[in-house]
Amino acid sequence: MITISWLIERLLVKPTEGSLTDVVITADWRCNGTDGTYSGTCYGSASFAPPTENFTPYPDLTEQQVLGWCYANGVNKTAIEANVSAQIENQINPPVIAPPLPWLPPVPPAPEPEIVAPADPVIDAPAA
């Protein structure tokens, strides 16, 4: 089962826009996916027009709100999640592989390292 998560990594703001302060104009987003063993990711940016109504002050913004803006401004959530899922599926079942060339002899496996026990120490005893 693939788990998908979205996050906002950075916001770019205009310090002032008309009478408003700290107006978000760009959000950098990332979509991550994992199935526990394999993972995939997509990232990008979404730009926004200055707000005309319903302005939310910067300190009151939530990640979900900004992600909603991204989806409403050209970020195709369904397509991005499908891309991340395909990255993971392609790791599990690679669509292209590079097997050994059929005309070359197979490469023998490396020999197992031999474990050698240390020899008994030699003790020189004085002759009696």
Side-chain angles (χ1 to χ4, degrees):
M1 170 110 197
I2 296 174
T3 302
I4 300 287
S5 62
W6 285 82
L7 61 129
I8 298 295
E9 294 188 332
R10 181 175 72 157
L11 297 175
L12 298 179
V13 302
K14 278 186 156 182
T16 57
E17 176 70 29
S19 63
L20 305 174
T21 59
D22 296 330
V23 177
V24 176
I25 59 169
T26 302
D28 294 343
W29 55 264
R30 181 174 299 274
C31 177
N32 293 318
T34 182
D35 79 342
T37 303
Y38 301 96
S39 63
T41 191
C42 281
Y43 59 92
S45 295
S47 296
F48 316 113
T52 55
E53 56 186 57
N54 299 329
F55 178 73
T56 303
Y58 189 84
D60 298 334
L61 292 173
T62 67
E63 188 170 42
Q64 287 308 310
Q65 180 180 11
V66 176
L67 283 168
W69 297 347
C70 293
Y71 306 146
N73 285 277
V75 176
N76 186 329
K77 182 177 188 277
T78 303
I80 300 285
E81 290 179 357
N83 180 299
V84 170
S85 295
Q87 289 176 39
I88 294 168
E89 292 298 331
N90 287 341
Q91 291 171 50
I92 295 168
N93 299 302
V96 177
I97 61 171
L101 298 172
W103 56 85
L104 296 178
V107 177
E112 291 290 323
E114 187 176 327
I115 299 173
V116 179
D120 291 332
V122 176
I123 299 173
D124 288 332

